[in-house]
Amino acid sequence: MPISLRPYTADDLPLLPGGDSPYDDWGPKQRREVPGSDLDGSGGLVIVDDDGSVLGDLSWHYVHWGPNAGSHNPMIGVWLRPEARGRGAGTEAQSSLVELFFRHTAVNRVEAHTDVENVAEQRSLAKAGFTAEGVVRGAQWRDGAFRDGILYSILRADRGR
Protein backbone atom coordinates (compact mmCIF):
# COMPACT_ATOMS: atom_id res chain seq x y z
CA MET A 1 0.00 0.00 0.00
CA PRO A 2 1.56 3.32 -1.00
CA ILE A 3 1.81 5.65 1.98
CA SER A 4 3.61 8.84 2.85
CA LEU A 5 4.56 10.55 6.09
CA ARG A 6 3.91 14.19 6.91
CA PRO A 7 3.93 16.49 9.95
CA TYR A 8 0.78 16.73 12.09
CA THR A 9 -1.77 19.48 11.80
CA ALA A 10 -4.37 20.34 14.46
CA ASP A 11 -7.03 18.87 12.12
CA ASP A 12 -5.37 15.44 12.40
CA LEU A 13 -5.82 15.10 16.17
CA PRO A 14 -9.53 14.08 16.17
CA LEU A 15 -8.72 11.38 13.58
CA LEU A 16 -5.97 9.85 15.76
CA PRO A 17 -7.61 9.15 19.09
CA GLY A 18 -6.24 5.67 19.82
CA GLY A 19 -8.03 3.64 22.47
CA ASP A 20 -9.80 1.19 20.18
CA SER A 21 -7.29 -1.64 20.46
CA PRO A 22 -6.54 -3.81 23.48
CA TYR A 23 -2.97 -2.49 23.23
CA ASP A 24 -4.05 1.15 23.68
CA ASP A 25 -5.14 1.12 27.34
CA TRP A 26 -2.38 3.23 28.90
CA GLY A 27 -4.55 4.90 31.54
CA PRO A 28 -5.86 8.47 31.64
CA LYS A 29 -4.91 10.49 28.58
CA GLN A 30 -3.56 14.00 28.65
CA ARG A 31 -4.75 16.67 26.23
CA ARG A 32 -2.99 16.03 22.94
CA GLU A 33 -0.85 18.69 21.42
CA VAL A 34 0.38 18.74 17.85
CA PRO A 35 3.72 16.88 18.09
CA GLY A 36 6.81 18.13 16.38
CA SER A 37 8.59 16.19 13.67
CA ASP A 38 12.20 16.86 14.72
CA LEU A 39 14.08 13.59 14.17
CA ASP A 40 16.64 14.55 16.85
CA GLY A 41 14.05 14.80 19.64
CA SER A 42 10.72 13.26 20.58
CA GLY A 43 8.19 13.62 17.80
CA GLY A 44 5.73 12.11 15.41
CA LEU A 45 4.43 12.01 11.86
CA VAL A 46 1.06 11.29 10.30
CA ILE A 47 0.64 8.33 7.92
CA VAL A 48 -1.46 9.14 4.85
CA ASP A 49 -2.40 7.12 1.79
CA ASP A 50 -2.00 8.24 -1.82
CA ASP A 51 -5.23 10.29 -1.73
CA GLY A 52 -4.23 12.06 1.50
CA SER A 53 -6.52 10.13 3.85
CA VAL A 54 -5.14 9.81 7.38
CA LEU A 55 -4.32 6.18 8.16
CA GLY A 56 -2.57 6.59 11.51
CA ASP A 57 0.55 7.98 13.06
CA LEU A 58 4.09 7.21 14.13
CA SER A 59 5.81 8.54 17.21
CA TRP A 60 9.26 8.30 18.75
CA HIS A 61 11.23 9.20 21.82
CA TYR A 62 14.89 8.69 22.59
CA VAL A 63 16.31 6.07 24.94
CA HIS A 64 19.90 5.84 26.17
CA TRP A 65 22.13 2.79 26.41
CA GLY A 66 25.15 4.70 27.63
CA PRO A 67 26.06 8.06 29.12
CA ASN A 68 27.20 9.79 25.93
CA ALA A 69 25.06 11.28 23.19
CA GLY A 70 26.25 8.66 20.70
CA SER A 71 24.61 5.94 22.81
CA HIS A 72 21.06 7.15 22.30
CA ASN A 73 18.53 5.98 19.77
CA PRO A 74 14.88 6.47 18.91
CA MET A 75 12.19 4.06 20.13
CA ILE A 76 9.33 4.16 17.62
CA GLY A 77 5.66 3.28 17.85
CA VAL A 78 2.79 3.12 15.38
CA TRP A 79 -0.98 3.44 15.68
CA LEU A 80 -3.35 2.77 12.78
CA ARG A 81 -7.00 3.59 12.35
CA PRO A 82 -9.05 0.34 12.33
CA GLU A 83 -9.80 0.58 8.59
CA ALA A 84 -6.05 0.80 7.80
CA ARG A 85 -4.98 -2.28 9.73
CA GLY A 86 -3.89 -5.47 7.99
CA ARG A 87 -3.05 -3.72 4.70
CA GLY A 88 0.72 -3.21 5.12
CA ALA A 89 0.52 0.50 5.99
CA GLY A 90 2.19 0.01 9.38
CA THR A 91 5.04 -2.00 7.94
CA GLU A 92 5.68 0.54 5.18
CA ALA A 93 5.40 3.48 7.58
CA GLN A 94 7.84 1.98 10.10
CA SER A 95 10.30 1.12 7.34
CA SER A 96 10.02 4.67 5.94
CA LEU A 97 10.64 6.18 9.36
CA VAL A 98 13.75 4.04 9.86
CA GLU A 99 15.02 5.27 6.51
CA LEU A 100 14.45 8.88 7.61
CA PHE A 101 16.44 8.32 10.81
CA PHE A 102 19.34 6.65 9.01
CA ARG A 103 19.40 9.26 6.24
CA HIS A 104 19.03 12.40 8.38
CA THR A 105 20.55 11.59 11.79
CA ALA A 106 23.67 9.89 13.13
CA VAL A 107 21.80 7.19 15.10
CA ASN A 108 23.05 3.65 14.68
CA ARG A 109 19.97 1.88 16.05
CA VAL A 110 16.19 2.28 15.93
CA GLU A 111 14.10 0.35 18.46
CA ALA A 112 10.48 -0.70 18.79
CA HIS A 113 8.72 -2.40 21.67
CA THR A 114 5.44 -4.25 21.48
CA ASP A 115 3.26 -6.30 23.77
CA VAL A 116 3.99 -10.04 23.74
CA GLU A 117 0.38 -10.59 22.70
CA ASN A 118 0.48 -8.14 19.78
CA VAL A 119 1.33 -10.67 17.08
CA ALA A 120 0.26 -8.38 14.23
CA GLU A 121 2.82 -5.74 15.26
CA GLN A 122 5.49 -8.41 15.72
CA ARG A 123 4.91 -9.53 12.12
CA SER A 124 4.94 -5.94 10.90
CA LEU A 125 8.26 -5.17 12.59
CA ALA A 126 9.86 -8.34 11.19
CA LYS A 127 8.66 -7.42 7.67
CA ALA A 128 10.12 -3.93 8.14
CA GLY A 129 13.53 -5.50 8.86
CA PHE A 130 13.60 -5.35 12.66
CA THR A 131 15.14 -8.16 14.71
CA ALA A 132 13.49 -9.43 17.89
CA GLU A 133 16.01 -9.13 20.71
CA GLY A 134 14.05 -10.68 23.55
CA VAL A 135 11.35 -10.31 26.15
CA VAL A 136 11.40 -7.27 28.40
CA ARG A 137 9.60 -8.42 31.55
CA GLY A 138 7.01 -6.19 33.19
CA ALA A 139 8.16 -3.20 31.16
CA GLN A 140 4.89 -1.48 30.36
CA TRP A 141 1.77 -0.57 32.27
CA ARG A 142 -1.28 -1.43 30.19
CA ASP A 143 -4.85 -2.41 30.98
CA GLY A 144 -4.35 -2.15 34.74
CA ALA A 145 -1.22 -4.30 35.04
CA PHE A 146 2.44 -4.46 34.14
CA ARG A 147 2.91 -6.39 30.88
CA ASP A 148 5.81 -8.09 29.16
CA GLY A 149 6.94 -6.83 25.80
CA ILE A 150 9.31 -7.80 23.03
CA LEU A 151 12.15 -5.45 22.15
CA TYR A 152 13.00 -5.10 18.46
CA SER A 153 15.81 -3.21 16.77
CA ILE A 154 17.27 -2.44 13.39
CA LEU A 155 20.83 -1.24 12.95
CA ARG A 156 22.28 1.04 10.32
CA ALA A 157 24.39 -1.94 9.12
CA ASP A 158 21.20 -3.98 8.61
CA ARG A 159 20.20 -1.47 5.94
CA GLY A 160 23.67 -1.44 4.36
CA ARG A 161 24.43 2.10 5.58
Side-chain angles (χ1 to χ4, degrees), residues 106-123:
V107 300
N108 183 56
R109 170 186 173 93
V110 177
E111 293 182 10
H113 176 266
T114 190
D115 194 285
V116 293
E117 297 173 4
N118 192 344
V119 176
E121 175 60 359
Q122 292 168 35
R123 279 192 219 116

Side-chain angles (χ1 to χ4, degrees), residues 37-118:
S37 56
D38 177 12
L39 293 175
D40 290 315
S42 295
L45 292 167
V46 175
I47 306 164
V48 295
D49 66 12
D50 54 359
D51 71 0
S53 297
V54 173
L55 301 177
D57 63 347
L58 292 161
S59 61
W60 61 88
H61 64 276
Y62 274 79
V63 297
H64 291 267
W65 288 100
N68 62 338
S71 298
H72 77 284
N73 62 266
M75 165 90 61
I76 68 170
V78 65
W79 180 84
L80 294 174
R81 295 171 55 97
E83 60 272 18
R85 295 177 188 155
R87 299 173 28 201
T91 300
E92 187 173 340
Q94 291 173 115
S95 184
S96 295
L97 183 58
V98 166
E99 185 61 28
L100 285 173
F101 279 116
F102 289 157
R103 183 173 292 180
H104 299 289
T105 74
V107 300
N108 183 56
R109 170 186 173 93
V110 177
E111 293 182 10
H113 176 266
T114 190
D115 194 285
V116 293
E117 297 173 4
N118 192 344

Side-chain angles (χ1 to χ4, degrees), residues 112-159:
H113 176 266
T114 190
D115 194 285
V116 293
E117 297 173 4
N118 192 344
V119 176
E121 175 60 359
Q122 292 168 35
R123 279 192 219 116
S124 178
L125 288 166
K127 287 178 186 174
F130 284 77
T131 298
E133 295 186 331
V135 174
V136 183
R137 299 179 314 129
Q140 67 180 1
W141 177 263
R142 180 184 62 77
D143 194 22
F146 285 102
R147 307 290 177 151
D148 294 348
I150 300 176
L151 182 63
Y152 285 80
S153 72
I154 187 167
L155 303 179
R156 189 174 285 274
D158 297 338
R159 288 277 178 107

